[in-house]
Amino acid sequence: VLFTFFELYFFDMMEVSLPNLTFIRLLRLLKLIKVLRVVRVMRLFHQLRVLVVAIASSVSALIWSIVFLTIIQCTAGLFMTQIMLDFLNDPSQPEHVRTQAFHYFGRW
């Protein structure tokens, strides 16, 4: 992280050009994957592996839950907007009440 900071900001200000280091970063990532393979084999980390596998398996359920809640929120927002539109356009309601309702519910 520190090297990336220097590469993006400090070396740009000093007008120093470095070769593209993306390949080296990929090699570092591959080393990390090899270390994770070793951890997978060790008996000491069995409970940790069980937790990581459980979290990874529940990602699809989490995504569908987010999609479902987003649909519910959008539907509720559309419903509330339709109700507020009728209320805000009703001339029989007092002006200050309609202005206050618009202030709280009629804008982002």
Side-chain angles (χ1 to χ4, degrees):
V1 173
L2 190 60
F3 186 76
T4 303
F5 171 76
F6 279 115
E7 182 183 0
L8 290 176
Y9 300 110
F10 186 70
F11 292 144
D12 269 352
M13 290 188 317
M14 301 289 286
E15 296 180 0
V16 175
S17 64
L18 293 174
N20 192 357
L21 300 176
T22 306
F23 182 71
I24 295 173
R25 290 184 187 133
L26 286 174
L27 287 177
R28 209 176 337 158
L29 185 63
L30 289 175
K31 282 184 182 181
L32 180 65
I33 291 172
K34 286 182 182 179
V35 169
L36 289 176
R37 284 184 190 167
V38 170
V39 169
R40 191 175 110 193
V41 173
M42 296 177 74
R43 292 264 186 224
L44 180 67
F45 295 107
H46 177 70
Q47 291 87 2
L48 179 62
R49 266 190 63 225
V50 169
L51 287 173
V52 169
V53 168
I55 290 171
S57 298
S58 66
V59 168
S60 65
L62 174 66
I63 291 172
W64 281 113
S65 298
I66 290 171
V67 167
F68 179 69
L69 288 174
T70 302
I71 290 171
I72 297 265
Q73 283 184 335
C74 289
T75 305
L78 288 170
F79 179 71
M80 288 177 61
T81 301
Q82 290 299 319
I83 291 173
M84 286 304 297
L85 183 65
D86 292 339
F87 178 78
L88 291 175
N89 290 334
D90 187 10
S92 66
Q93 298 294 331
E95 180 70 30
H96 71 282
V97 174
R98 290 189 294 159
T99 305
Q100 191 174 20
F102 179 76
H103 178 72
Y104 286 118
F105 304 109
R107 59 190 175 124
W108 289 95

